[in-house]
Amino acid sequence: MPSGLVPGDGDVLRQTYHGLIDGVYSRWCPEKLGNVPNLMKKYEGQWNEVFDRAMRLYVFKQEREQWMPYIEGMYKRFNPDKLQKLDELLEKYKDSEATLFRALCDKYLPTLGAKDPPLVFGPQAQLAARGEPRAGEGQEAGAPVGGAEKAGARKPKGDRKARKEKRDEDAGRER
């Protein structure tokens, strides 16, 4: 297998990475959310590389409280015994947390099967914990997951002004 290609069940991995990439773009770069399907097609089988780049570019440049749920979520889902040693692991990977997260993804995501619940982080994980439907449930195979449709984030490029006005309005409410 060529370097960078993702092993395992391609459909499950494609959906998983599509949902994770959608989640990153929805939260940190909504204006690029419409590019995700093209990225998935262009980098067929290399979704782990696309996700890693998005995480490094948008998430791991944030404060610790922004990226920590991703690492905690991986350990909670795939290796809960290591949660006790999380502080030690983070000290070992100080300033290389994105590398740790990439290693976790490369190790555990290919183990997901078609019947496993989707892997979600952030607000989507909170919905899942409460038993509420997650974005993407009930969609056909290959359909994007991550909440973009519900959030109305996918809009034609001609709506940039409307999106900017909405962001400005939302930012005004947070102050």
Side-chain angles (χ1 to χ4, degrees):
M1 175 182 319
S3 175
L5 291 182
V6 180
D9 182 341
D11 288 339
V12 172
L13 279 172
R14 184 177 214 296
Q15 284 185 295
T16 299
Y17 278 113
H18 196 153
L20 293 172
I21 294 166
D22 268 359
V24 170
Y25 277 50
S26 292
R27 182 158 183 200
W28 283 286
C29 194
E31 65 276 6
K32 292 186 178 181
L33 187 59
N35 296 342
V36 174
N38 293 333
L39 287 172
M40 297 299 289
K41 185 180 275 187
K42 180 176 181 179
Y43 296 101
E44 183 71 33
Q46 298 176 47
W47 312 300
N48 57 340
E49 300 290 336
V50 176
F51 181 54
D52 180 57
R53 184 165 172 88
M55 290 294 292
R56 288 175 189 268
L57 188 62
Y58 299 113
V59 181
F60 283 97
K61 287 187 177 181
Q62 306 292 324
E63 296 296 319
R64 178 183 171 128
E65 58 269 3
Q66 299 296 319
W67 53 257
M68 189 63 173
Y70 288 87
I71 293 174
E72 285 178 333
M74 290 295 285
Y75 280 117
K76 282 180 187 174
R77 172 80 177 259
F78 297 104
N79 196 347
D81 294 338
K82 291 245 178 155
L83 284 170
Q84 300 172 51
K85 298 180 181 183
L86 190 55
D87 289 334
E88 291 174 37
L89 285 165
L90 290 172
E91 185 61 35
K92 179 179 175 181
Y93 285 91
K94 185 170 175 45
D95 299 324
S96 298
E97 294 88 353
T99 301
L100 170 62
F101 185 72
R102 168 69 188 263
L104 293 171
C105 289
D106 288 348
K107 180 176 182 176
Y108 294 120
L109 294 187
T111 68
L112 289 173
K115 294 183 180 182
D116 290 326
L119 183 63
V120 290
F121 299 104
Q124 292 295 324
Q126 293 165 357
L127 290 175
R130 292 193 304 256
E132 296 178 25
R134 293 176 292 271
E137 286 187 348
Q139 294 178 339
E140 62 186 62
V145 291
E149 298 78 18
K150 287 187 178 182
R154 290 182 194 248
K155 296 179 182 171
K157 287 188 176 184
D159 287 344
R160 284 187 179 164
K161 183 177 178 184
R163 287 195 312 260
K164 183 182 181 327
E165 289 171 358
K166 172 102 171 88
R167 280 195 306 269
D168 292 346
E169 180 182 309
D170 291 343
R173 276 189 239 142
E174 292 177 4
R175 291 183 195 155

